[in-house]
Amino acid sequence: MNLPGKSIFGKTVLLFAVLCFVTMSILGCTKAEPKKKSFKIGILQLVEHDALDASYKGFVDSLAEAGYVDGTNISIDYQNAQGEQANCQTIAQKFVNDRCDLILAIATPAAQAAANLTDTIPILVTAVTDPESAKLVKSNAMPGTNVSGTSDLTPVEAQIKLLKKIVPGAKKIALLYNSSEQNSAFQVAIAKKACGEIGLSYVDATVSNSNEIQQVVQNLVGKVDAIYVPTDNMIAAGITTVGMIAREAKLPVICGEEGPVMKGGLATYGINYYELGKLTGKQAVLILRDGKKPAEMPIEYVQSFDLTVNKDMAEAIGITIPSDL
């Protein structure tokens, strides 16, 4: 026989237990949500030129589209190393000391500087051709480190074939690049293989600092039929010098990306660096908003390529662009 008092007492205890469970569940959910309402992002860019500038802008715009606005819920510290590796180290150390929540490194030397100084702060890279061979990640498919991001690997083979199509009589070309830039060496290796497949001979035309560009290019005049320039940061920054000599010598220059083409090159099949930056920004949102780890985020690539032709340069050096391009 159940007494009325005991029944009421039992119901009261049960109700209290349910309320406690609900309250604890709510508190548990609240704890799981990120408490931080503002994030500090350090951006380290190797040097100023069109491609890297576009990557930076795309990254910031992508964050803004996702609701992360500088001065509101994120604080961006943008620093440019002006092409100096020592500056990369100093800036990266500053970001580590400032305990940034995320570092964006634009270009390979900048990425290497940041990765060498911290293995805990999430680092995203962009405009890095091959993070794996740059020893930034264990593999591009599964980074396994605090680094992920996007690659600016362009269709090098297609660019070499484009050179041959625009300059069908070309027999020997120069590969112009900075010998100390890993991403350039990676692309040049692909270019050499592509040259071999279509019967082009080549010579290495390397520079170690920007002051050497003019002399190296002048020494190529009369010795080669065209110049190929990969997505090399040093050459991109000095492309007006290359273009000046090429125009006078009527020497075609096929580039790795659009910016140098319009400042002195002839043509390219290239990627859109603004879109590359936006892709990196989407990765940043996954880290800041969803707590994703770079170690588990594959390196991503832009999948479309655009043909860019500098018609003024073509006319100046007497090149007729094939009508089917």
Side-chain angles (χ1 to χ4, degrees):
M1 180 176 178
N2 293 324
L3 297 175
K6 285 187 178 180
S7 177
I8 293 170
F9 176 77
K11 288 180 179 178
T12 302
V13 170
L14 179 61
L15 179 60
F16 178 75
V18 170
L19 286 172
C20 285
F21 176 79
V22 171
T23 302
M24 289 178 70
S25 297
I26 292 172
L27 287 174
C29 290
T30 303
K31 261 186 172 180
E33 293 175 358
K35 292 182 178 180
K36 198 158 191 174
K37 294 183 179 180
S38 182
F39 297 94
K40 190 183 298 182
I41 300 175
I43 299 180
L44 168 55
Q45 182 172 321
L46 174 64
V47 68
E48 289 180 28
H49 66 69
D50 291 346
L52 303 191
D53 294 346
S55 292
Y56 164 63
K57 188 176 188 308
F59 179 80
V60 174
D61 287 353
S62 183
L63 284 174
E65 288 174 8
Y68 290 93
V69 180
D70 187 26
T72 303
N73 52 2
I74 59 172
S75 174
I76 294 177
D77 183 0
Y78 169 81
Q79 300 286 334
N80 193 300
Q82 303 301 326
E84 296 292 336
Q85 187 63 41
N87 292 343
C88 287
Q89 298 289 340
T90 302
I91 295 166
Q93 187 63 64
K94 177 184 184 298
F95 292 161
V96 172
N97 294 345
D98 291 345
R99 297 182 181 179
C100 286
D101 298 292
L102 176 73
I103 295 174
L104 171 69
I106 308 177
T108 303
Q112 290 171 328
N116 285 339
L117 289 173
T118 177
D119 58 4
T120 55
I121 297 174
I123 298 172
L124 288 177
V125 304
T126 192
V128 172
T129 301
D130 186 50
E132 184 175 339
S133 65
K135 303 188 184 306
L136 295 166
V137 298
K138 293 180 180 178
S139 78
N140 292 328
M142 186 59 68
T145 67
N146 62 318
V147 179
S148 187
T150 57
S151 163
D152 66 345
L153 180 61
T154 59
V156 177
E157 292 180 8
Q159 291 165 354
I160 295 297
K161 290 178 181 177
L162 176 67
L163 185 155
K164 185 65 174 175
K165 184 162 189 173
I166 293 176
V167 193
K171 302 294 183 186
K172 186 177 185 180
I173 69 169
L175 305 172
L176 177 63
Y177 64 104
N178 173 10
S179 55
S180 63
E181 197 164 318
Q182 186 278 333
N183 67 300
S184 300
F186 182 83
Q187 294 170 83
V188 166
I190 299 173
K192 288 178 177 179
K193 182 180 178 183
C195 284
E197 290 173 352
I198 60 175
L200 270 177
S201 64
Y202 56 81
V203 293
D204 285 299
T206 61
V207 299
S208 57
N209 63 72
S210 57
N211 295 327
E212 297 176 355
I213 294 175
Q214 183 172 347
Q215 182 179 351
V216 168
V217 177
Q218 284 176 334
N219 287 341
L220 295 172
V221 176
K223 299 176 182 176
V224 297
D225 303 307
I227 297 174
Y228 174 70
V229 179
T231 54
D232 182 289
N233 293 296
M234 184 176 290
I235 304 299
I239 194 65
T240 53
T241 299
V242 178
M244 177 184 66
I245 300 168
R247 180 183 287 262
E248 186 177 339
K250 299 189 181 305
L251 195 58
V253 180
I254 300 299
C255 303
E257 51 105 359
E258 177 184 1
V261 169
M262 302 316 296
K263 290 186 175 181
L266 176 62
T268 190
Y269 279 122
I271 67 171
N272 186 311
Y273 275 79
Y274 178 77
E275 293 301 325
L276 187 72
K278 290 195 75 173
L279 186 60
T280 320
K282 291 177 181 177
Q283 292 176 312
V285 171
L286 294 176
I287 293 170
L288 299 176
R289 184 191 64 199
D290 301 337
K292 289 209 71 171
K293 303 296 183 185
E296 303 167 354
M297 299 170 65
I299 300 298
E300 296 190 46
Y301 301 80
V302 172
Q303 299 299 326
S304 60
F305 307 107
D306 302 320
L307 172 65
T308 302
V309 176
N310 185 335
K311 293 181 180 178
D312 290 339
M313 180 61 80
E315 184 178 345
I317 65 176
I319 291 287
T320 300
I321 303 299
S323 58
D324 59 340
L325 284 176

